[in-house]
Amino acid sequence: MRLWQKLILSVLSLTALVVLGGAATVIYAEQVIPSAPLRPEPTREAPAEGAAPTGAPSTGASSSAAAVPVVAVLQPHSVSPTPFQPLPITPTPSATPLPTQTPTPLPTTTPDPTSTPSEPDEVYIPGLWGHPQTFNLSCESRSASDFARYFGVYFTELEFLYALPLSDNPDTGFVGDVQGPLGQLPPLGYGVHARPVAALMRSFGLNATAHKGMALDQVRSELAAGRPVMIWAIRELSTSTPVDYTASDGDTTIVARFEHTFIVIGYGPGYITVLDNHRVYSVSTRQFQDSWGVLGNMGITIAP
């Protein structure tokens, strides 16, 4: 082979080695530490004038030797690992529970045992029907029959009259002749007071109570509750003179001429309404109290 051919082959071989070596070095560097920067190539002085450049083929014996390429060697950074220091964990304080608030109960109002509900200013009880009495002195039996009917108990005037006991004392039985004239005093024809009438009503099934010395407020309370009251006064709610009478049994009671019975069915501002046999009328409260007071505010109430 000729000399110039050998020189061309040597140059081609060196060039291939340089190219392949640089690529391999770069690949190796990228695989080891891809992020490490390349070091700059060392600065080489320019060759003297007339001298052959570095890496170029020279003449003579050294012309056959391959020039060694300058390759930048990649060195990995030396990284000092920072020791792991865990972050301090500060415990989260637990919420303090709020104190439970117990509601204070309101004081219970204790009703006053002495207080009573106020009564209405005006009361009228409907549903009572009266009838004329059969005899001059049978007003008590007539009133008792009409009174009982309102509470659902039925008996006739005569049935009740003949069931009453007879006596010369009006506080224990009927006194005198029922057909006698009006305005007499015992032991003549007179009539009967509240106690025997209430006792006979109870035998018919009524819860009847006889009273003496009743107050007008008590009558009003009964009416406000829807219960009429049977009372003893003087005819036409007029007045008469009370008389002390002592019966044969030694008992002394108050009697008066023209004694008569009524059923009180209403009241209002300054007046009282009564059922007098078959008549209904009103009188002033003062007139009612004067007539009712002659025989000591006597009456009968019916409890439920």
Side-chain angles (χ1 to χ4, degrees), residues 110-135:
T110 304
D112 185 0
T114 60
S115 64
T116 56
S118 59
E119 297 168 358
D121 294 333
E122 186 172 359
V123 170
Y124 179 80
I125 300 177
L128 274 88
W129 294 274
H131 303 82
Q133 62 190 67
T134 304
F135 303 107

Side-chain angles (χ1 to χ4, degrees), residues 257-289:
R257 298 181 186 276
F258 301 102
E259 168 267 326
H260 191 60
T261 55
F262 305 82
I263 301 174
V264 185
I265 59 174
Y267 69 86
Y271 68 88
I272 302 293
T273 302
V274 298
L275 175 65
D276 179 0
N277 288 339
H278 59 290
R279 296 183 299 149
V280 174
Y281 55 90
S282 298
V283 297
S284 68
T285 302
R286 178 62 180 271
Q287 179 181 342
F288 174 82
Q289 288 182 302

Side-chain angles (χ1 to χ4, degrees), residues 188-210:
L188 301 176
Y190 176 79
V192 61
H193 286 173
R195 191 169 64 189
V197 173
L200 186 56
M201 281 184 171
R202 289 193 293 271
S203 70
F204 281 95
L206 289 163
N207 188 11
T209 302

Side-chain angles (χ1 to χ4, degrees), residues 66 75 253 275:
Q75 297 292 334
T253 187
L275 175 65

